[in-house]
Amino acid sequence: CKGTIGKTCILKEDSVHIARQFMSIRPIGMNIEFVQFYLNNVNSVLNDLSKGTIPGIEREDVLNLIIAVPPCGEQNRIVNEFKKLIITINSYDLKLSD
């Protein structure tokens, strides 16, 4: 279905009902956190694809998205490094607000 571009989340349930204006993907053989980080960082590409009175993307936009998929070991390494960076960035935010 058509959906707006918003936040991503990882669903840990085996099955759910997906309502209108909500889009999901199921990565097979990939680190799901890597996919989430990737999608969060291609928002500008997805925004460029959005169209209509209420801008949104369609199923085909996601299906046609080209994703560079490194080997699983590299995906895991990228996710671990990204998590370390997030901790460092958040620590600077805390220091600046004190």
Side-chain angles (χ1 to χ4, degrees), residues 3-7 39 42-50 55-57:
T4 58
I5 300 166
K7 293 185 178 188
L39 290 174
V42 295
N43 271 347
S44 61
V45 172
L46 293 172
N47 276 320
D48 290 344
L49 296 172
S50 63
I57 57 173

Side-chain angles (χ1 to χ4, degrees), residues 31 71-84:
N31 180 313
C72 287
E74 185 66 8
Q75 291 175 37
N76 295 334
R77 190 190 71 73
I78 291 168
V79 166
N80 290 333
E81 289 300 317
F82 198 76
K83 286 179 178 179
K84 289 179 196 173

Side-chain angles (χ1 to χ4, degrees), residues 1-6 18-24 54-57:
C1 69
K2 187 172 180 177
T4 58
I5 300 166
I18 297 177
R20 190 157 175 75
Q21 302 298 322
F22 189 87
M23 198 173 294
S24 72
I54 300 173
I57 57 173

Side-chain angles (χ1 to χ4, degrees), residues 51-78:
K51 45 195 160 302
T53 306
I54 300 173
I57 57 173
E58 297 179 1
R59 182 176 187 268
E60 290 75 28
D61 295 328
V62 174
L63 290 174
N64 293 326
L65 189 63
I66 297 172
I67 300 176
V69 182
C72 287
E74 185 66 8
Q75 291 175 37
N76 295 334
R77 190 190 71 73
I78 291 168

